[in-house]
Amino acid sequence: MVKARRQQQKRCWGVPLLLVVYVGYVGLGAGVLQALERPAEARAAQHILRQRWELLANHTCLRGPALQRLIEVSPRPDGAALRASREYFSFNTSFLSCLGYGNLSPSTVAGRIFCILFALFGIPLNLVLLNEIGQLMLLGVQHCAHRLEEVFHWQKKASLLIKTCALVTGSLLFLLLPPLLLSDKEGWSYEEGFYYSFITLSTIGFGDYVIGMNPDRTYPSWYKNVISLWILFGMAWLALVIKLCINFLESSSDFCQCNKSMAEEL
Amino acid sequence: MVKARRQQQKRCWGVPLLLVVYVGYVGLGAGVLQALERPAEARAAQHILRQRWELLANHTCLRGPALQRLIEVSPRPDGAALRASREYFSFNTSFLSCLGYGNLSPSTVAGRIFCILFALFGIPLNLVLLNEIGQLMLLGVQHCAHRLEEVFHWQKKASLLIKTCALVTGSLLFLLLPPLLLSDKEGWSYEEGFYYSFITLSTIGFGDYVIGMNPDRTYPSWYKNVISLWILFGMAWLALVIKLCINFLESSSDFCQCNKSMAEEL
Ligand SMILES: [K+]
Ligand SMILES: [K+]
C-alpha cells in the first residue's frame, strides 16, 4: 500500500516532467521546421497570386466574383499562405501523435527529412507520455477502489463499480461532451462532432474535419489549448480502453497461454 | 526448447488464422460501407456534372480545354465518382491500421456511424494481428540465434550479431528497397518514396502521397497486393523497433523500476 502510494507520487511528478520535455521538443521542432519551410511557402504563395492574375487577364469574362468563387471551391493547395509558428507547433503535436490530418504536410526535401528524424524520437516520446498518463489514470481508479473497500468493506463489488464508473466518466468526458463544445465553436452538428472526436482520439485523422480552420469564425484564445489537452488525455484513455479490448480478445482465443508463457521466458 | 518450438508452431498457425479472420472482417465491412455510401456517391457525381455544364453555359469564353484544366487543377471532391468494391476494401485496411490517408472518407451519417462501430472491434483486431506478426518475427530471430549458438558455440556474440542482422535486413526490406519499386511504378523520386514509406509505416498517413491514384499510369495487378503485404509486415516491424526504442527511453529514465514493480503487482 505504501509502495503503491510512493509509485503514485513518483508518477505524479513524472508526468509533468515528461510534458515539459515533450513541449520543449515540439517547440524546438516547430522552430526548425518553420525555418526550413518558410522560403518554399513564400514562393508558393507568390506563384498562386501570379496564376490568379494570369487567369483574370486571359479570360476577360471571368470577373472578380466568378473567379473568386472558382478559387474558393478548389481547396487551397499546401503552402498557399505563410504560416504562423503556432501552426507549426500544432502540426508537430498532431504529427507526433500519428494523427497526420494532412491539411498541412512538409513540402520541401529538407522539411521532409527533418520530419522523419524528428519522428524517430518524437513518436516513442509521445507514446511514453500517453502510457504514463494512462497508468496515472489507472492508478487513480485503483486508489478509489481501495478507498471504497476500506470504507464500506466491499470486496469485488468495489472494483467492478469503480471500473464501470471510470468507463462511463471517460466516455462522457472524452467522447460525449466534447462534440457539444465543437458544435458551438465550429458550427458542426453533434453527429459530426462525435465523428471528429472518434477519428481524432483513435489517431486515424482523416482530415475531413479539422478544428480552428474556418476563416468565418472567431475562436477564443483558450479553445485550441483545451482541445490539445483533451486530445492528449483522450488518446491516453482510448488507448487504455483499446488495450483492455485486446486483452479480452486475446484471452478469448488460444493465444493467451502462448503469450503468457512467452512473456515469462523472455 | 521443445516448449519454444511448440509455441512457434502454434504461432505459425495462429497468424494465418488471424489473417483470414481479418480479411473476412474487412471484406464484410467493405460490402456494408459500399451499400451505405453508394446512393450518396451517385448523387454527388451527378451534382458535379451538372455544375460543370452550368459553368460552361454561363461563361461562354471558357471552352472545353480551359474548363477541363480548371477542374483538373482543383482536387476531386470526395465521392465525385462511383467507387469499386476493391477501393472500399483498401480504404478499410488503411482505416483499421489507423492510417486514414483522407483521400477517401465516409460522407453519409450512416457510413460514419458504421465506420465508428467497425473500428471499435477492427482496430484491436488489427493491433493483435500486427503484434502476432511482430512476435513471429522475434521468434524467428531468436530461433536463428539459438541455432548459431549450437553450431558455433558462441554465447552473447550470436544474439548481438543476429539482432544487428535483423535490424539491417528489416531496414532494407521495409524502408530502403520499397522506394525503388514506388519510384518505378508511381514516378516519384527516391526521396519521395522513402518519405511515403516512413509516413505510411509509422501510421501517420498524411495523404499527400497515395499509391495507385495516378490516372496516367497503369499498375500491374500484383502491385496493390504486394504493397498491402509490405504495409502489414512493415508496420509490425516498425512497431517492434519503436517498442525497443521505448524500452530504451524508459530504461534510461527513472520510470523503469516503477513500471516493473507495478507490472508485478497487477
Ligand atoms: K491521417
Ligand atoms: K493517422
Side-chain angles (χ1 to χ4, degrees), chain B:
Chain B
M1 194 60 207
V2 177
K3 206 176 162 191
R5 193 161 296 163
R6 207 176 294 155
Q7 275 170 30
Q8 200 167 352
Q9 281 173 346
K10 216 173 187 179
R11 217 170 266 274
C12 286
W13 277 104
V15 169
L17 197 85
L18 261 176
L19 254 175
V20 169
V21 171
Y22 177 76
V23 169
Y25 187 71
V26 168
L28 203 78
V32 175
L33 199 61
Q34 189 176 27
L36 292 173
E37 292 272 307
R38 192 147 257 217
E41 272 178 28
R43 273 196 302 278
Q46 275 184 331
H47 180 69
I48 285 195
L49 260 181
R50 208 181 308 128
Q51 273 199 326
R52 198 182 279 203
W53 283 112
E54 274 173 18
L55 251 166
L56 255 183
N58 291 341
H59 299 282
T60 43
C61 75
L62 265 181
R63 284 268 155 245
L67 185 66
Q68 196 61 41
R69 209 180 65 83
L70 263 174
I71 287 165
E72 272 169 11
V73 165
S74 61
R76 203 196 285 175
D78 262 26
L82 288 180
R83 281 169 213 140
S85 56
R86 253 188 326 157
E87 279 181 273
Y88 282 102
F89 193 87
S90 76
F91 164 75
N92 274 351
T93 55
S94 86
F95 172 63
L96 290 189
S97 54
C98 292
L99 259 171
Y101 283 127
N103 57 331
L104 301 179
S105 55
S107 52
T108 61
V109 175
R112 281 177 194 153
I113 292 172
F114 172 74
C115 272
I116 291 174
L117 295 176
F118 185 65
L120 272 183
F121 281 88
I123 291 176
L125 181 67
N126 188 68
L127 284 175
V128 168
L129 179 64
L130 287 186
N131 188 35
E132 287 298 317
I133 291 174
Q135 294 299 333
L136 197 65
M137 286 175 180
L138 208 65
L139 270 176
V141 169
Q142 283 169 341
H143 184 73
C144 286
H146 275 298
R147 269 287 167 88
L148 267 188
E149 274 176 33
E150 279 174 6
V151 175
F152 294 102
H153 301 287
W154 293 343
Q155 290 294 327
K156 283 188 175 170
K157 264 188 199 169
S159 165
L160 196 73
L161 185 78
I162 283 291
K163 274 177 191 162
T164 322
C165 275
L167 196 69
V168 171
T169 319
S171 305
L172 266 174
L173 210 63
F174 297 124
L175 276 178
L176 297 174
L177 293 181
L180 293 177
L181 175 70
L182 290 168
S183 65
D184 180 47
K185 296 294 170 214
E186 305 282 345
W188 298 339
S189 70
Y190 184 85
E191 174 266 322
E192 286 174 316
F194 186 80
Y195 170 73
Y196 169 81
S197 303
F198 185 83
I199 294 297
T200 297
L201 295 190
S202 61
T203 76
I204 293 171
F206 279 131
D208 46 357
Y209 290 89
V210 182
I211 62 138
M213 285 291 162
N214 195 337
D216 301 336
R217 284 180 171 268
T218 49
Y219 300 101
S221 55
W222 52 265
Y223 178 60
K224 279 208 174 180
N225 297 330
V226 166
I227 294 285
S228 298
L229 278 178
W230 163 65
I231 290 179
L232 201 66
F233 282 83
M235 268 188 186
W237 174 77
L238 199 67
L240 207 69
V241 171
I242 286 180
K243 214 186 266 174
L244 295 177
C245 276
I246 289 180
N247 284 352
F248 174 76
L249 266 176
E250 283 190 331
S251 69
S252 64
S253 80
D254 258 333
F255 295 111
C256 182
Q257 302 155 327
C258 188
N259 283 339
K260 267 185 196 157
S261 51
M262 217 194 111
E264 280 161 19
E265 273 188 304
L266 281 177

Side-chain angles (χ1 to χ4, degrees), chain A residues 27-249:
Chain A
L28 203 79
V32 175
L33 200 60
Q34 189 176 26
L36 291 173
E37 292 273 307
R38 192 147 259 213
E41 274 178 26
R43 272 197 302 276
Q46 276 186 330
H47 179 70
I48 286 196
L49 261 180
R50 208 181 310 128
Q51 273 199 324
R52 198 182 279 202
W53 283 112
E54 273 174 19
L55 250 166
L56 256 183
N58 291 342
H59 299 282
T60 43
C61 75
L62 268 180
R63 283 270 154 245
L67 184 66
Q68 196 61 41
R69 207 179 66 83
L70 262 174
I71 286 164
E72 272 168 12
V73 165
S74 62
R76 200 195 288 173
D78 263 25
L82 286 180
R83 283 169 213 141
S85 57
R86 253 189 325 158
E87 280 182 271
Y88 282 102
F89 192 86
S90 75
F91 164 75
N92 275 350
T93 56
S94 86
F95 172 63
L96 290 189
S97 55
C98 292
L99 261 171
Y101 283 128
N103 58 331
L104 301 180
S105 56
S107 52
T108 59
V109 175
R112 281 176 195 153
I113 292 171
F114 172 74
C115 272
I116 292 174
L117 294 176
F118 186 64
L120 272 182
F121 280 88
I123 292 176
L125 181 66
N126 187 68
L127 284 174
V128 169
L129 179 64
L130 287 185
N131 188 36
E132 287 297 317
I133 292 175
Q135 294 298 335
L136 197 66
M137 287 175 178
L138 207 66
L139 271 176
V141 169
Q142 283 170 340
H143 185 73
C144 286
H146 274 300
R147 269 287 168 87
L148 267 188
E149 274 176 30
E150 278 174 5
V151 175
F152 295 101
H153 299 288
W154 292 343
Q155 289 294 327
K156 282 189 178 170
K157 264 188 199 168
S159 165
L160 197 73
L161 186 78
I162 283 290
K163 273 177 192 162
T164 323
C165 276
L167 197 68
V168 171
T169 319
S171 305
L172 266 175
L173 210 63
F174 298 124
L175 276 178
L176 297 173
L177 293 181
L180 294 176
L181 175 69
L182 290 169
S183 64
D184 180 47
K185 297 292 171 216
E186 305 281 345
W188 298 337
S189 71
Y190 184 84
E191 174 265 321
E192 286 174 317
F194 185 80
Y195 170 74
Y196 169 80
S197 303
F198 184 82
I199 293 297
T200 297
L201 295 190
S202 62
T203 76
I204 293 171
F206 279 130
D208 46 357
Y209 291 90
V210 182
I211 62 140
M213 284 290 161
N214 194 337
D216 300 337
R217 285 180 169 266
T218 50
Y219 301 100
S221 55
W222 51 265
Y223 178 59
K224 280 210 173 179
N225 297 330
V226 166
I227 294 284
S228 298
L229 277 178
W230 162 65
I231 289 179
L232 202 64
F233 282 83
M235 268 186 187
W237 174 77
L238 199 67
L240 207 68
V241 171
I242 285 179
K243 214 187 264 175
L244 295 177
C245 277
I246 288 179
N247 284 351
F248 173 77
L249 265 176

